[in-house]
Amino acid sequence: MNRKFVVLAAALLASAASSGLAQKLNGAGATFPNPIYSKWFIEYSNAHAGVQINYQPIGSGGGIRQVTAGTVDFGASDGPMSDAQLSESKIKIVHIPTVLGAVVPIYNLPGVSAELRFAPDVLADIYLGKISNWDDARIAKDNPGVKLPNISINVVHRSDGSGTTYIFTDYLSKVSPEWQSSVGRNTAVSWPKGIGAKGNEAVAGMVRQLPGTIGYVELIYALQNKISYGYVRNAAGAWVKGSVEGVTEAAATVKSIPADYRVSITNAPGKTAYPISSFTWLLIPNPAPDSAKGKVIKDFLNWMLEHGESEAPALYYAPLPDAVAVKVKATIAALK
């Protein structure tokens, strides 16, 4: 009896291994959502025997390049692909929004315990190189009572193609005409000043180690690394810090989501909206080059909606608004 049971169990495992849900998937892209993607991929693999999802957080630019070249099964980006990128791709790509997050200005200023405030034009002019000292009058004006040191501002930015950079420069382009005309928005830009670091984690590490620095990262990287991050004045004139609630409010101000989900929510008008907020997307080839892998991807995406979204706030991401989740579920069903 025991021998028969072992043989039957082996047969069932062999059958599972040959089924559509026994696959090894490879993905690459954004570092912005990597903490929650890592959690999701491990949990999904643990719950689905034979499935392994490997994800490389190489930056949104790398994710777009690899998925359009067909070298990975899916990509990930915090900046939606442009019309030109979509038209040039030999593979049709569908954007699937997953969660939302906040990009926050982080800083290392010894001797300053107060939480600093950064006006939109001040942030832009720091990165333009027009404000170069921490005790500049414009920074001091928004931070009354704070004794700011007379030291240079060391600017840190991403060196790789980055969706976090896209979100940050998209925001700066909306609040600063000079930034819009001279630098613009993209996953990679010609920075007027500063030193580069690869990935959110590297930017956080550089700011944490170097006094006098300012950088920008997804909220969870600031919290995990215990780095100070500032308030930003939103479009309604309120000073707000990056938070799940502020990101949720920013998303709620979007009255119409386009069918392809490529939408910007930076500088949203809500009273409590955090202004540097964004969706992040998985980039899914459609139809899937490998139909068996395509079935696993569809199953994972449905699992994400049903189980994964509820885990987002614990990692300081905002889950998809209910109306968006309903639309996404229909889009997933239509994937081939």
Side-chain angles (χ1 to χ4, degrees):
M1 180 65 70
N2 287 341
R3 187 171 182 277
K4 287 182 179 180
F5 177 79
V6 170
V7 170
L8 177 60
L12 289 172
L13 287 172
S15 174
S18 64
S19 73
L21 287 180
Q23 295 290 336
K24 180 178 180 179
L25 303 181
N26 294 307
T31 65
F32 178 100
N34 184 50
I36 193 162
Y37 284 1
S38 296
K39 180 177 176 63
W40 284 352
F41 295 152
I42 290 171
E43 289 182 351
Y44 182 82
S45 296
N46 288 342
H48 297 80
V51 174
Q52 182 180 349
I53 304 178
N54 297 319
Y55 180 73
Q56 296 297 318
I58 60 173
S60 295
I64 291 171
R65 286 192 299 274
Q66 290 205 16
V67 73
T68 55
T71 57
V72 292
D73 301 306
F74 64 90
S77 180
D78 315 314
M81 292 175 63
S82 66
D83 290 343
Q85 287 173 323
L86 288 171
S87 64
E88 290 168 3
S89 175
K90 296 179 181 179
I91 301 170
K92 182 183 177 183
I93 301 296
V94 175
H95 287 65
I96 300 291
T98 54
V99 291
L100 302 98
V103 175
V104 297
I106 57 174
Y107 58 92
N108 180 346
L109 209 50
V112 175
S113 58
E115 296 177 311
L116 296 184
R117 295 177 171 187
F118 296 99
D121 59 308
V122 168
L123 268 181
D125 283 352
I126 288 173
Y127 273 82
L128 284 168
K130 297 174 69 175
I131 296 177
S132 57
N133 240 50
W134 278 106
D135 64 350
D136 186 279
R138 291 169 62 193
I139 300 177
K141 176 177 175 291
D142 293 325
N143 294 275
V146 178
K147 185 171 177 55
L148 297 164
N150 179 21
I151 60 173
S152 297
I153 301 174
N154 297 312
V155 170
V156 180
H157 56 73
R158 289 285 288 274
S159 61
D160 52 333
S162 158
T164 309
T165 291
Y166 181 91
I167 298 164
F168 190 60
T169 59
D170 179 54
Y171 170 70
L172 295 182
S173 293
K174 290 181 179 180
V175 300
S176 168
E178 183 176 353
W179 185 276
Q180 167 64 20
S181 63
S182 64
V183 183
R185 60 174 64 79
N186 212 326
T187 54
V189 298
S190 295
W191 295 98
K193 70 172 297 183
I195 51 178
K198 189 175 182 179
N200 271 282
E201 187 63 55
V203 171
M206 191 169 289
V207 172
R208 186 177 61 242
Q209 294 169 20
L210 299 177
T213 50
I214 187 170
Y216 59 91
V217 295
E218 205 284 329
L219 174 61
I220 193 171
Y221 291 89
L223 295 169
Q224 287 181 336
N225 288 280
K226 296 180 171 56
I227 303 173
S228 298
Y229 62 101
Y231 286 81
V232 182
R233 194 178 65 219
N234 67 12
W239 294 101
V240 290
K241 286 194 79 175
S243 67
V244 171
E245 294 76 15
V247 173
T248 300
E249 174 65 19
T253 67
V254 180
K255 302 306 179 187
S256 178
I257 298 288
D260 63 6
Y261 303 105
R262 293 186 300 155
V263 63
S264 167
I265 61 170
T266 55
N267 209 35
K271 290 183 179 179
T272 60
Y274 181 68
I276 321 179
S277 299
S278 180
F279 285 93
T280 189
W281 297 266
L282 286 176
L283 308 175
I284 309 299
N286 187 44
D290 182 314
S291 60
K293 289 184 176 181
K295 289 179 181 177
V296 178
I297 289 173
K298 286 184 68 171
D299 189 71
F300 166 76
L301 292 172
N302 280 311
W303 176 93
M304 174 192 79
L305 290 181
E306 295 167 8
H307 303 282
E309 292 295 316
S310 62
E311 298 178 339
L315 288 175
Y316 305 100
Y317 298 93
L320 296 177
D322 290 343
V324 176
V326 170
K327 290 184 67 171
V328 170
K329 191 169 185 64
T331 300
I332 295 168
L335 293 174
K336 298 176 182 178

